[in-house]
Amino acid sequence: MAGPNAEKLAEVKERLLERKRRLWQEVREQLKSNIGDGYQEMLSTARDEEDQATVSLLAETQLTLLGPKRQELEAIEEALLRLENGTYGLCESCGQPIEPRRLEVMPETPFCRACMSLKEKLAKAAAVR
């Protein structure tokens, strides 16, 4: 099975870069709306350890809420690196080509369906222990 051609890889790269731009915009907007100028004001007016702890908790909460976006940004960066080094479209686990339809839906995925399924089963089993 032949891998994606250069034109298809360029399209994938553009899709990944566009998603990356949108995610960063969402992160900036979310931080601004949830923390905004009030955070800077709170930080500068925190008088004691309790105030500082409240400000830190607010920042940590916002960063936690951004977790899924951070994970997606990391996956996109890794996919862009695979594009650069010529391994895009190959499963990181078994080395076999990832199904084109899977890459179409999730261009950042590093695993074929079978390996991802196995990885999820192992993670579930480990969580039960």
Side-chain angles (χ1 to χ4, degrees):
M1 177 178 187
N5 63 31
E7 185 178 317
K8 183 68 174 169
L9 291 176
E11 289 174 20
V12 169
K13 183 175 183 177
E14 186 52 41
R15 280 182 60 204
L16 288 168
L17 290 171
E18 179 57 30
R19 179 65 184 145
K20 180 180 170 182
R21 283 187 287 271
R22 283 194 318 256
L23 277 170
W24 275 115
Q25 183 62 34
E26 290 172 18
V27 166
R28 283 189 294 275
E29 288 172 6
Q30 186 174 349
L31 286 173
K32 187 174 182 183
S33 70
N34 292 345
I35 295 177
D37 298 331
Y39 177 74
Q40 290 299 324
E41 185 178 321
M42 286 172 49
L43 191 58
S44 66
T45 60
R47 301 265 183 239
D48 56 24
E49 287 181 28
E50 187 176 321
D51 288 345
Q52 291 172 352
T54 301
V55 171
S56 292
L57 181 61
L58 174 64
E60 286 177 35
T61 301
Q62 292 308 310
L63 291 175
T64 300
L65 293 172
L66 292 173
K69 285 184 172 71
R70 181 187 53 81
Q71 290 171 339
E72 187 175 355
L73 283 164
E74 288 173 359
I76 289 170
E77 284 298 323
E78 290 169 4
L80 289 168
L81 287 173
R82 290 191 302 277
L83 277 166
E84 294 282 325
N85 67 26
T87 59
Y88 181 81
L90 299 176
C91 177
E92 286 188 354
S93 186
C94 70
Q96 295 299 308
I98 299 171
E99 302 85 358
R101 179 70 184 128
R102 182 172 174 79
L103 288 172
E104 185 68 32
V105 174
M106 299 182 328
E108 71 280 358
T109 190
F111 301 109
C112 68
R113 189 178 358 199
C115 289
M116 189 65 206
S117 179
L118 179 61
K119 184 178 172 159
E120 288 170 349
K121 286 178 187 174
L122 292 173
K124 242 184 219 181
V128 171
R129 291 183 188 158

